[in-house]
Amino acid sequence: MSSLKRLLIIPRIQVQNANALSSPFTIGFPAMTAWLGAVHTLQRKLQQTGFAGIQFSAVGVVSHQFDLQTHRHKGDFVTSIIGTGNPLDKEGNRPSFIEEARAHLTASLIIEYTGLDADDKGRALNQINKLVQSQLKIAGGDILAFEQAYFTNTENTTDTQKVLRKLMPGYVLLERRELMQATMANGKDALEALIDYLVIHQSCSKIDEKVHWTSARKQKGWLVPIAVGFQGVSPVGQALNQRDTDTPHRFAEAVVTLGEFRMAHHITEIETLLWSYQTDLENHLYLCETRTAEMPDDLSTYF
């Protein structure tokens, strides 16, 4: 059922050198934790400028352009990361460095907010544009340019489609964990379920003495692995040399599930694209989930 959503739209943010190593075993679009983290940073900085009551409760991401900094020579099987040109050392040699997966991208943010009066919207927009331009990073990348932010509301499917049409062409990132759940119900573990939807199956057939090759995936759609949070692997406590001595610390590992990029004009309900923080302290989970997803009883749904 549709309900009134108050939205802040920051269109077409151009980000250079965003972190593309979204988990220990995937490379590509930045993790959802990076997007929600950037919006949370924006909220905190905005609160410090006099808008103490504002809250950003959920975030949607629309991808317009994505340029992963990798290269593959013709005929090669392995893709290489394109490194940065670091300055020479005093002996004139190239210094050692750790390869980092980077990406240049353009994306729009759809942010659900509360706690802002109508009379304060003009001042808030001015402050938001200043903060995004001068103090915000996204996934560790630098913001080069963006279109001016604006406020809007959605209450039904027509409103949602009006909002998303302004952000075309673009692909909305959705959560598709239910696909993994369906596969795991047949006895496969999380990694097998993830690979099952990502692998490309090649097949051939012979028709009129000619061989025809076809390729297909198990499920239609642009499915990708996406990092959506963390699971604690140590008790909460103090760690040696932790940066914030006042906040409890724990070691954690990345949580990865399936996501799908879907053309924005196919979305009819704004809820399906809004990600928010969810925690399950009993099972040590710190997640980013869409509102339409429910916390699973079987934690092996995540890999």
Side-chain angles (χ1 to χ4, degrees):
M1 183 175 63
S2 300
S3 59
L4 179 65
K5 298 289 183 186
R6 294 177 172 85
L7 303 175
L8 166 66
I9 312 295
I10 309 179
R12 294 176 172 80
I13 307 170
Q14 297 177 26
V15 184
Q16 184 182 52
N17 292 331
N19 177 25
L21 193 64
S22 54
S23 79
F25 46 86
T26 59
I27 180 174
F29 201 72
M32 285 311 302
T33 49
W35 297 100
L36 269 69
V39 171
H40 183 63
T41 299
L42 179 62
Q43 173 190 292
R44 294 179 62 181
K45 291 182 179 294
L46 192 60
Q47 289 172 341
Q48 294 169 3
T49 62
F51 299 94
I54 195 167
Q55 296 287 333
F56 294 152
S57 55
V59 182
V61 181
V62 183
S63 176
H64 304 287
Q65 180 268 341
F66 184 79
D67 181 13
L68 185 62
Q69 296 298 287
T70 58
H71 178 72
R72 181 190 299 176
H73 286 287
K74 185 177 180 180
D76 284 357
F77 180 76
V78 177
T79 299
S80 301
I81 294 174
I82 299 175
T84 55
N86 299 326
L88 303 179
D89 61 22
K90 59 184 179 181
E91 282 80 27
N93 300 317
R94 183 73 66 187
S96 61
F97 65 95
I98 299 174
E99 286 187 329
E100 296 179 341
R102 304 171 296 114
H104 307 326
L105 60 91
T106 302
S108 296
L109 293 178
I110 302 172
I111 304 170
E112 184 183 1
Y113 73 92
T114 58
L116 183 66
D117 294 333
D119 295 339
D120 295 329
K121 285 186 176 180
R123 290 193 305 114
L125 280 180
N126 289 334
Q127 196 62 48
I128 288 168
N129 288 324
K130 290 179 182 177
L131 291 172
V132 172
Q133 184 176 27
S134 61
Q135 298 188 33
L136 197 66
K137 281 179 171 283
I138 295 179
D142 299 316
I143 295 177
L144 302 181
F146 63 98
E147 296 180 7
Q148 296 297 292
Y150 61 90
F151 291 111
T152 188
N153 296 332
T154 64
E155 194 168 7
N156 50 46
T157 298
T158 302
D159 294 339
T160 298
Q161 292 180 334
K162 285 182 179 178
V163 169
L164 294 177
R165 275 200 296 268
K166 294 181 180 179
L167 301 178
M168 287 289 292
Y171 292 88
V172 176
L173 181 56
L174 308 176
E175 185 177 14
R176 297 304 308 273
R177 178 165 24 99
E178 77 280 359
L179 295 177
M180 291 186 61
Q181 290 174 321
T183 300
M184 292 172 65
N186 296 324
K188 293 189 176 182
D189 63 25
L191 181 58
E192 289 174 329
L194 188 72
I195 294 174
D196 204 26
Y197 284 97
L198 300 178
V199 67
I200 299 176
H201 299 277
Q202 306 281 353
S203 61
C204 69
S205 59
K206 192 173 183 180
I207 302 175
D208 297 331
E209 301 302 321
K210 293 183 178 181
V211 176
H212 298 270
W213 283 91
T214 59
S215 58
R217 286 185 170 182
K218 180 178 179 178
Q219 175 81 17
K220 291 183 178 180
W222 188 357
L223 298 177
V224 295
I226 186 72
V228 294
F230 302 94
Q231 183 172 28
V233 295
S234 71
V236 177
Q238 296 292 317
L240 184 65
N241 299 325
Q242 67 183 58
R243 287 182 291 179
D244 184 353
T245 57
D246 299 325
T247 302
H249 175 89
R250 81 185 311 171
F251 292 98
E253 60 184 6
V255 172
V256 178
T257 191
L258 275 175
E260 179 183 355
F261 284 108
R262 188 177 298 176
M263 191 68 79
H265 71 275
H266 290 302
I267 306 300
T268 58
E269 296 293 335
I270 201 72
E271 286 281 3
T272 60
L273 62 85
L274 292 176
W275 297 73
S276 59
Y277 290 121
Q278 303 290 335
T279 56
D280 181 358
L281 297 181
E282 181 180 350
N283 295 300
H284 320 301
L285 286 170
Y286 308 85
L287 302 173
C288 306
E289 293 185 331
T290 54
R291 300 282 181 81
T292 53
E294 296 181 356
M295 187 74 74
D297 296 327
D298 182 6
L299 299 180
S300 62
T301 303
Y302 300 106
F303 176 72

